[in-house]
Amino acid sequence: GTAALIWNEIIREKVTNFIMNQSKEQRILNFVLQNAVRGDPRSVVDTIDKYCSQKEWAMNVGNEKGLILDKTVEEVNPSVALELGSYCGYSAVRIARLLKAGARLLTVEFNPEFAAIARQMIEFAGVQDKVKLLEGPSEEIIPQLKKKYEVDTLDFVFLDHWKDRYTPDTILLQECNLLRKGSVLLADNVIFPGAPDFLTYVRKSPHFQCTNYPSHLEYMQVEDAMEKAVFLG
């Protein structure tokens, strides 16, 4: 798994970026703009999956784990959801297409280039009315959610950013009183690349009830899993 990631993420991608004079993320966006149906979020998601499974690997949640994400969002039926790590906007579109009328998703992205791509992806999918992209570090944005973005509490949180931020950001969500009894956290990539400290934290905490969903790394046959942690108050 690690060798395949090094090949896809570092060697192959750098060579292709140099030859084509554009980033992989820009290529994914271009492929969507040329091949997906504007205003159809399902078409956008499927087109990204097609590109990343057939042309270039990318760190979206992917279709297999995407089904776990879908099921969790449908069960929670959130009014206010938070995503940490927008990347190209894949999961933001995937979540937004399932949100009820009047619900909203705040998605946080630290990388300005990824944020620019995600904004275009969200707009092309036609879910911009439900999604607000917040650009900057999660540790700065989370404490601003209540006052600046009028969030009382979060019904659903999807963690898919830097793995070493999973635990401190979960603690920050608790400290900022952004979780209510029944709030659901869903964390991606807890096996590969892995978030062992996060698993230890939520599983040992009396404030969370956890469920593990074994799966595979996006677009690969590498073992991975998602962890659901329900806040008990």
Side-chain angles (χ1 to χ4, degrees):
T2 305
L5 274 190
I6 289 169
W7 164 250
N8 281 298
E9 282 285 86
I10 300 172
I11 303 166
R12 181 182 170 191
E13 186 180 331
K14 278 198 163 75
V15 171
T16 312
N17 290 356
F18 178 76
I19 293 168
M20 299 187 72
N21 194 30
Q22 62 176 195
S23 68
K24 174 177 67 180
E25 292 73 29
Q26 188 64 52
R27 292 192 290 277
I28 293 170
L29 175 64
N30 290 344
F31 188 78
V32 168
L33 298 180
Q34 291 162 15
N35 295 279
V37 178
R38 176 180 279 279
D40 183 343
R42 181 77 246 183
S43 171
V44 169
V45 165
D46 289 345
T47 304
I48 297 173
D49 281 333
K50 182 178 179 182
Y51 186 90
C52 296
S53 57
Q54 297 177 6
K55 296 178 183 290
E56 290 186 271
W57 183 90
M59 57 180 181
N60 312 301
V61 67
N63 191 47
E64 186 184 354
K65 287 184 294 183
L67 295 175
I68 300 168
L69 174 61
D70 290 355
K71 186 171 181 287
T72 308
V73 171
E74 286 168 341
E75 285 172 356
V76 177
N77 192 22
S79 294
V80 185
L82 173 70
E83 175 184 43
L84 300 176
S86 314
Y87 188 43
C88 289
Y90 174 96
S91 47
V93 171
R94 189 158 193 138
I95 293 167
R97 83 187 208 286
L98 299 172
L99 294 180
K100 60 193 172 188
R104 59 181 174 138
L105 169 67
L106 301 166
T107 181
V108 178
E109 178 53 55
F110 174 74
N111 183 312
E113 185 200 340
F114 295 167
I117 299 280
R119 275 196 187 91
Q120 293 176 76
M121 199 75 78
I122 289 161
E123 191 276 330
F124 184 82
V127 293
Q128 67 275 17
D129 291 347
K130 291 182 175 180
V131 183
K132 186 172 185 64
L133 194 147
L134 311 177
E135 194 176 322
S138 54
E139 62 267 32
E140 289 181 14
I141 290 174
I142 288 170
Q144 299 176 343
L145 289 177
K146 277 192 182 282
K147 283 191 176 177
K148 193 171 179 180
Y149 300 104
E150 298 177 343
V151 173
D152 179 19
T153 53
L154 298 160
D155 304 308
F156 175 70
V157 181
F158 182 45
L159 296 94
D160 196 18
H161 56 330
W162 297 107
K163 310 313 156 198
D164 61 0
R165 289 298 319 166
Y166 280 21
T167 305
D169 283 349
T170 298
I171 293 168
L172 196 54
L173 289 167
Q174 291 174 262
E175 289 174 346
C176 293
N177 296 312
L178 284 158
L179 302 181
R180 57 159 177 83
K181 187 177 181 180
S183 290
V184 173
L185 276 60
L186 184 67
D188 190 18
N189 303 121
V190 296
I191 301 299
F192 194 94
D197 59 331
F198 171 78
L199 292 181
T200 300
Y201 176 73
V202 291
R203 287 174 181 179
K204 287 192 172 179
S205 170
H207 299 290
F208 290 100
Q209 183 176 36
C210 298
T211 309
N212 186 264
Y213 298 101
S215 189
H216 296 92
L217 182 67
E218 45 271 22
Y219 317 114
M220 287 189 187
Q221 288 305 307
V222 177
E223 285 191 13
D224 194 11
M226 301 179 94
E227 188 84 359
K228 181 171 83 170
V230 181
F231 189 64
L232 302 174

